[in-house]
Amino acid sequence: MTSNMDKLIEAKFAAAPVVPLIEASDPAVAVATAKALRAGGLDVVEVVLRTDAALECMSAIISESSDIVVGAGTVLTVDHAKAVADRGAQFVVSPGLVDDVARFCLDRNLPFYGGTMTAGEVQRAYALGLRTVKFFPAKLAGGVPMLKALSSVFRDMRFMPTGGVSADNLAEFLAVPSVIACGGSWLTPKAAIEAGDYDAITRLAREAVALASAARS
Ligand code: 3PG
């Protein structure tokens, strides 16, 4: 079933098909990073559960930036999925495909992008009822040729390549019609964040938006 949130995210991806990852330990830094991305035209972000304060960081963005769609990434277990859903995550991303996590999200109408890199994993996602999956780690898993091969058989599956995507190859991935959006950490470099250089983040976001619109036009 397509939820309202699916529709909202699809509309956002139609405008800017890029999902920046935010890995933060300080809620104020997370909010500043999300706002810098938003200023550059990216308003769908994935906060990864890789720090002790990740949940607080996600909640802070949700409460301070109502114009940003905030998802949770690196969601490994159903407990993680419950925790992020309870805090208002608007979508869930996992590096791999765990059926229980997928079912939990489907039950809650929470868009879920589980990681896949083989035909077997994509088929399992399909059987679970998923029609959009993460393709991870996109570059190492065969990149564009592998995506094209998977797309030729899974005709109504859409992919979110993540892992090794950057400004250098974003356009190639987005040129594949089954790609709904690309995710990645290249938009939020640690050095810029540590230096408080949020303008650099905004510039990277703008560059990604321009590359995406050229690739899709
Ligand atoms: C992920 O969580 O999807 C990956 O860590 C992102 O990979 P990247 O750092 O190469 O963008």
Side-chain angles (χ1 to χ4, degrees):
M1 195 174 77
T2 305
S3 67
N4 288 338
M5 187 48 66
D6 282 303
K7 285 186 194 142
L8 173 66
I9 292 174
E10 279 180 30
K12 299 265 182 205
F13 286 166
V18 178
V19 183
L21 266 54
I22 297 180
E23 180 178 336
S25 298
D26 176 343
V29 170
V31 170
T33 304
K35 286 187 172 168
L37 291 162
R38 173 79 193 84
L42 297 179
D43 56 1
V44 179
V45 302
E46 174 187 332
V47 180
V48 291
L49 302 191
R50 296 185 204 161
T51 68
D52 291 343
L55 288 175
E56 285 70 35
C57 290
M58 186 190 77
S59 295
I61 302 172
I62 292 170
S63 67
E64 290 194 37
S65 318
S66 57
D67 55 347
I68 298 177
V69 174
V70 186
T74 321
V75 171
L76 303 181
T77 65
V78 174
D79 284 347
H80 285 174
K82 276 190 189 133
V84 300
D86 289 349
R87 284 172 178 259
Q90 289 159 298
F91 63 92
V92 168
V93 184
S94 295
L97 185 63
V98 171
D99 294 17
D100 286 350
V101 175
R103 286 205 188 91
F104 172 84
C105 293
L106 286 164
D107 283 352
R108 290 228 185 170
N109 270 331
L110 194 53
F112 172 66
Y113 310 116
T116 61
M117 65 177 283
T118 66
E121 289 162 354
V122 177
Q123 192 168 332
R124 202 166 96 233
Y126 191 91
L128 282 163
L130 301 172
R131 291 297 178 268
T132 307
V133 288
K134 174 170 171 168
F135 177 54
F136 176 79
K139 195 171 172 189
L140 290 172
V144 167
M146 182 63 166
L147 261 178
K148 285 185 176 165
L150 291 170
S151 304
S152 73
V153 285
F154 298 103
R155 291 297 175 92
D156 52 354
M157 188 61 96
R158 288 173 306 171
F159 296 87
M160 191 190 296
T162 307
V165 180
S166 67
D168 292 337
N169 58 14
L170 176 66
E172 287 164 46
F173 279 107
L174 290 177
V176 180
S178 60
V179 169
I180 187 169
C182 288
S185 64
W186 87 94
L187 299 139
T188 51
K190 277 203 171 81
I193 293 172
E194 277 166 16
D197 186 1
Y198 294 105
D199 288 346
I201 310 262
T202 299
R203 281 196 299 276
L204 285 167
R206 256 192 216 122
E207 176 194 38
V209 170
L211 286 166
S213 88
R216 289 270 154 110
S217 65

